[in-house]
Amino acid sequence: MIIESRFAGPPGSGNGGWSAGVFAAALDDRGPVEVTLRRPPPLETPLRAVDGEIRDPDGQVVAQVRRVEPFTAVVPPVDAATAAAAAKTYPGLVDHPFPGCHVCGPANPDGLRIFPGRLPDGRTAAPFRAPERVVRATVWAALDCPGGWAVIAPGRPYVLGRIAAVVAGLPAPGDECVVTGATIGGEGRKAEVHSSLYGPDGALLGYARATWIALPPA
């Protein structure tokens, strides 16, 4: 498997959600699967699955993948108008640690362009138009950044460390969806978040629980 450059997150590495979705598919993500990123997923590099691990050509472990027990991590939905209004206040439009991110980067015109803004209750919400090609990793990617932006603050960037997701269905290309995210807890540099993806009819298409890790000050 290869994480193509167009699916970048932080410079030089793959977006965590998309990469995790690709890695989960190597195991078979028809049930709840958890992916722990052990190092930034390299771009344009052949990777292989070996005994529940994703390894690079040198044998270094990039990620660990395992099935987990069924769980619930659903963030309540909002209507499309509320999501669109929240997106207008997306902090990443003016201060983004990784503006080229495939999922939420405002400087990436070919990305998913999910811009999660904060709701009054602390949740995040954003509209999401499904791209022309939709695969299961698309849902993993859409569930990634909306959770992260529930904790990211100016001058305090976070990156995805671990994500477990359930994919209940895929949006059709062009579908106008809504994504929500919420902080659940955390300690030290770690933050626990949930996120959910809803289709145009309000159906729950997927949900995730994730651990985000604050980067040390530069």
Side-chain angles (χ1 to χ4, degrees), residues 49-75:
V50 182
D51 297 330
E53 296 179 334
I54 307 300
R55 300 181 184 176
D56 68 12
D58 296 326
Q60 297 293 314
V61 176
V62 175
Q64 294 169 318
V65 186
R66 68 185 185 104
R67 291 185 176 87
V68 293
E69 294 297 320
F71 66 92
T72 301
V74 176
V75 182

Side-chain angles (χ1 to χ4, degrees), residues 18 69 106 125 140 145 147 149 166 175 179 206 214 216:
W18 174 269
E69 294 297 320
W140 283 74
C145 300
W149 280 98
V166 173
D175 273 359
V179 195

